[in-house]
Amino acid sequence: MIFSGNLLSDLPASLPEERFDTLLSRPGLRIERIVSAGHASPKDFWCDQPQDEWVCVIAGSASLQFEGEAAPRLLRDGDWIEIPAHVRHRVEWTDPGRPTVWLAVHFGP
């Protein structure tokens, strides 16, 4: 079976929590669309993932803070970053004025 879709379609009008849609899942690989609307990581929370992650902001903007870095990294339309496994990071903010659409690829053991 062949599946297809559009990353910018079916965006919710209001979003009390971030939305995670798995687009493809295989052993050692997961691709998901994440939709944020002014969301951020909880205060003092750090994400520490067991897999590598490649993430791209398709639309919108966000700020990622990495442990040990002095300043957050700003991501805008089209910007991407690779986050190695166990590199602690957090979402400082996402655009409150329009949805931020992420494409996230999780890979590795």
Side-chain angles (χ1 to χ4, degrees), residues 28-79:
L29 175 70
R30 185 176 81 254
I31 301 173
E32 61 188 1
R33 177 184 80 164
I34 305 167
V35 183
S36 308
H39 297 96
S41 297
K43 183 177 165 76
D44 298 324
F45 169 83
W46 291 95
C47 188
D48 184 345
Q49 302 171 156
Q51 291 185 308
D52 295 327
E53 180 180 13
W54 179 92
V55 65
C56 179
V57 171
I58 302 299
S61 58
S63 176
L64 294 179
Q65 179 69 53
F66 289 87
E67 188 175 50
E69 290 189 358
R73 295 178 185 228
L74 177 61
L75 299 176
R76 295 187 179 127
D77 297 351
D79 289 338

Side-chain angles (χ1 to χ4, degrees), residues 79-96:
D79 289 338
W80 62 270
I81 191 165
E82 183 179 349
I83 306 169
H86 300 293
V87 170
R88 289 169 43 109
H89 61 285
R90 52 180 277 107
V91 177
E92 288 291 309
W93 58 264
T94 59
D95 193 331

